[in-house]
């Protein structure tokens, strides 16, 4: 069946979200709370919605979307038709969801998914991470599913829904984030454990690709590999350490600033949120952990990190997709 980019394919599952009370757990005297998701194989994509006061995130492996209202503690869940990797709000209303094969419009009331664009047409890759910049452009990349070849790529999806390849090849793209003035962009090749930084032109063209930080040089420190990222108002870059059990802040020049250790080892992504954008919401994964692993009980959870651990740093507002 051929699917055109604008007509799309609509898939509906039920009549809206399941709603329950979130099992929020505070970790004693740590400044960290567990908001849900413990045991999820691949928690990812935290997204703060200032309009609704909710934090969204996904479980890629279970094809599930979560939304937690921070005031009422109501937790909503939706089932996606395919692995769901990330979410973003739209300027026109509603949301988009990065599913395994493309970017879809997501209607949370009807649970319908409508295909908007497929950045690439391959059967051996899937979308992985994605973020929207201050101009409403979506930056998203793909990863090789067998995890053996660099056949993935990094794309920019403009407001007209045109997808443009901007860098590659990659085995596993991850974590785009942007400087406050939108003149720089950071991106990850998780397979090589390297974070790159680019210059960004007004039209979204990337240039001057450089290594920002190479996690392989810190193997003795137990850093693991870089995954999702976020930027604060001072231009600091926050990186999730997959296999390193922490998040770290780096200065805009790539120098390490400080870290916050977490009770799960496989940290996947993070975003600033809350009314003052002074909390961090951090996702994690339980995949591949052996029985008896010390973090088995909490791995996969979404964590809330309080301002007391963030040295006064606050985040940038969540951007909405213009397409």
């Amino acid at each position: 069946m051929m699917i055109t980019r604008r007509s799309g394919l609509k898939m509906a599952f039920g009549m809206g979200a399941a709603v329950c009370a979130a099992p929020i757990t505070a970790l004693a005297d740590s400044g960290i709370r567990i908001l849900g998701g413990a045991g999820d194989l691949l928690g990812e994509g935290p997204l703060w919605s200032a309009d609704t006061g909710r934090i969204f995130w996904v479980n890629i492996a279970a094809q599930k979307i979560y939304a937690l209202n921070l005031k009422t503690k109501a937790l909503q869940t939706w089932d996606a038709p395919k692995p769901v990797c990330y979410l973003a709000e739209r300027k026109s209303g509603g949301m988009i969801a990065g599913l395994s094969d493309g970017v879809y419009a997501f209607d949370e009331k009807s649970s319908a998914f409508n295909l908007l664009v497929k950045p690439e047409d391959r059967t051996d890759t899937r979308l992985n991470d994605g973020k929207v910049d201050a101009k409403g452009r979506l930056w998203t990349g793909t990863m090789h599913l067998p995890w053996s070849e660099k056949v993935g790529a990094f794309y920019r999806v403009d407001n007209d829904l045109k997808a443009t390849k901007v860098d590659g090849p990659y085995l596993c793209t991850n974590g785009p984030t942007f400087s406050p003035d939108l003149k720089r962009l950071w991106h990850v090749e998780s397979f090589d454990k390297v974070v790159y930084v680019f210059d960004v032109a007004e039209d979204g063209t990337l240039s001057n690709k450089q290594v920002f930080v190479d996690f392989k040089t810190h193997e003795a420190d137990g850093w693991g590999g870089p995954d999702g990222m976020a930027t604060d108002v001072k231009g600091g870059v926050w990186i999730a350490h997959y296999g390193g059990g922490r998040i770290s802040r780096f200065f805009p020049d790539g120098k390490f600033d400080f870290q916050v250790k977490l009770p799960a080892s496989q940290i996947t992504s993070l975003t600033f949120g809350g009314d003052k954008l002074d909390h961090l919401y951090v996702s994690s994964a339980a995949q591949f952990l052996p029985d008896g692993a010390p973090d088995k009980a909490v791995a996969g959870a979404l964590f809330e990190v309080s301002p007391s651990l963030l040295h006064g740093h606050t985040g940038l507002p969540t951007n909405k997709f213009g397409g």
Side-chain angles (χ1 to χ4, degrees):
M1 178 180 180
M2 183 171 290
I3 304 167
T4 63
R5 177 164 60 86
R6 290 193 179 277
S7 62
L9 174 66
K10 184 174 290 185
M11 293 173 281
F13 292 78
M15 293 302 293
V19 183
C20 63
I24 297 174
T25 303
L27 304 179
D29 301 322
S30 69
I32 296 171
R33 294 197 301 171
I34 296 174
L35 301 186
D40 282 357
L41 289 183
L42 192 49
E44 261 284 8
L47 173 78
W48 167 246
S49 169
D51 291 348
T52 66
R54 292 180 295 173
I55 185 73
F56 287 81
W57 75 103
V58 303
N59 179 357
I60 297 176
Q63 302 179 191
K64 191 172 291 291
I65 295 170
Y66 300 101
L68 173 64
N69 187 305
L70 295 180
K71 289 184 171 62
T72 68
K73 314 306 180 190
L75 178 67
Q76 299 170 276
T77 62
W78 297 262
D79 292 319
K82 299 177 182 182
V84 53
C85 310
Y86 59 84
L87 304 163
E89 294 179 301
R90 300 180 80 179
K91 291 181 179 180
S92 60
M95 303 189 77
I96 59 168
L99 301 190
S100 56
D101 65 339
V103 180
Y104 288 70
F106 166 52
D107 185 334
E108 63 175 272
K109 292 182 179 179
S110 67
S111 299
F113 293 80
N114 184 36
L115 181 64
L116 297 175
V117 59
K118 281 189 173 184
E120 64 186 27
D121 191 13
R122 300 181 63 105
T123 60
D124 60 344
T125 62
R126 71 158 170 82
L127 288 186
N128 193 41
D129 210 346
K131 290 277 181 68
V132 175
D133 70 18
K135 291 189 175 182
R137 302 173 298 203
L138 171 67
W139 300 79
T140 186
T142 57
M143 61 175 284
H144 190 229
L145 288 171
W147 197 260
S148 60
E149 296 181 67
K150 288 192 175 184
V151 294
F154 188 36
Y155 297 89
R156 185 189 70 245
V157 181
D158 294 316
N159 293 345
D160 61 0
L161 299 181
K162 178 184 177 182
T164 301
K165 180 179 175 180
V166 293
D167 196 40
Y170 288 83
L171 193 144
C172 182
T173 63
N174 246 318
T177 195
F178 322 97
S179 62
D181 61 7
L182 201 50
K183 291 183 178 180
R184 304 182 86 198
L185 177 150
W186 291 266
H187 193 237
V188 171
E189 166 58 280
S190 284
F191 179 75
D192 294 332
K193 299 184 179 181
V194 173
V195 182
Y196 294 105
V197 61
F198 302 79
D199 292 336
V200 186
E202 282 292 322
D203 64 358
T205 301
L206 301 184
S207 63
N208 194 27
K209 180 180 181 180
Q210 298 182 38
V211 172
F212 180 69
V213 59
D214 185 346
F215 273 46
K216 295 189 299 296
T217 64
H218 295 273
E219 289 181 354
D221 301 318
W223 274 22
D227 205 317
M229 299 187 290
T231 313
D232 62 39
V233 295
K234 294 183 178 179
V237 179
W238 298 71
I239 304 176
H241 293 240
Y242 187 94
R246 71 199 78 180
I247 54 177
S248 292
R249 183 184 188 269
F250 294 81
F251 292 105
D253 62 2
K255 292 180 181 178
F256 173 80
D257 186 11
F258 69 93
Q259 65 185 13
V260 178
K261 291 193 174 181
L262 292 153
S265 59
Q266 297 175 158
I267 306 303
T268 57
S269 194
L270 68 165
T271 193
F272 285 92
D275 292 340
K276 298 180 180 179
L277 296 173
D278 59 352
H279 290 69
L280 271 176
Y281 296 91
V282 183
S283 56
S284 65
Q287 61 182 356
F288 312 130
L289 288 177
D291 292 338
D295 60 334
K296 189 76 171 181
V298 299
L302 182 79
F303 300 98
E304 180 187 67
V305 181
S306 72
S308 64
L309 300 177
L310 303 184
H311 296 201
H313 294 291
T314 58
L316 299 169
T318 303
N319 299 313
K320 296 182 179 181
F321 181 50

